Amino acid sequence: EEAAATIVERLKDVAAYEGEDAVFECRLSQETAQDAQWFLGDVPLQSNEMNEIRVQGTRHSLILRKVTLEDCGSITFKVGQRSSAA
């Protein structure tokens, strides 16, 4: 049984102007097979032309492209039982 990864570098609040990209990053204690998931409010985010979700080792990042006022809100990163929000 693999030990659950913990979030060692939490999300930081990001301010962006309309039309800019907003980048959120957090780092886990270990690479994990557990599903990590990003949310905007209660909505789960997928990687698509508006959002880019990247995993590089223990670093997980979310890029919201060309943000609008509708993108304003809480971003949450969840892995297992742990979460971080900004």
Side-chain angles (χ1 to χ4, degrees):
E1 179 80 14
E2 112 179 282
T6 58
I7 298 172
V8 292
E9 201 176 291
R10 301 186 72 76
L11 291 178
K12 295 178 179 62
D13 289 337
V14 172
Y17 291 103
E18 267 196 294
E20 290 183 341
D21 292 352
V23 180
F24 298 87
E25 281 191 336
C26 64
R27 201 159 51 82
L28 301 179
S29 57
Q30 65 196 40
E31 291 187 41
T32 178
Q34 281 183 297
D35 282 342
Q37 179 70 65
W38 292 91
F39 294 87
L40 173 57
D42 298 329
V43 181
L45 298 174
Q46 305 295 326
S47 220
N48 57 32
E49 65 281 349
M50 298 303 297
N51 316 311
E52 185 178 337
I53 295 171
R54 280 193 206 148
V55 181
Q56 292 164 305
T58 59
R59 184 171 298 282
H60 291 251
S61 51
L62 167 68
I63 302 164
L64 296 180
R65 302 216 176 277
K66 298 185 173 52
V67 295
T68 65
L69 289 173
E70 285 75 55
D71 295 317
C72 193
S74 180
I75 294 286
T76 307
F77 174 79
K78 291 184 180 168
V79 60
Q81 299 300 304
R82 296 185 166 76
S83 67
S84 176

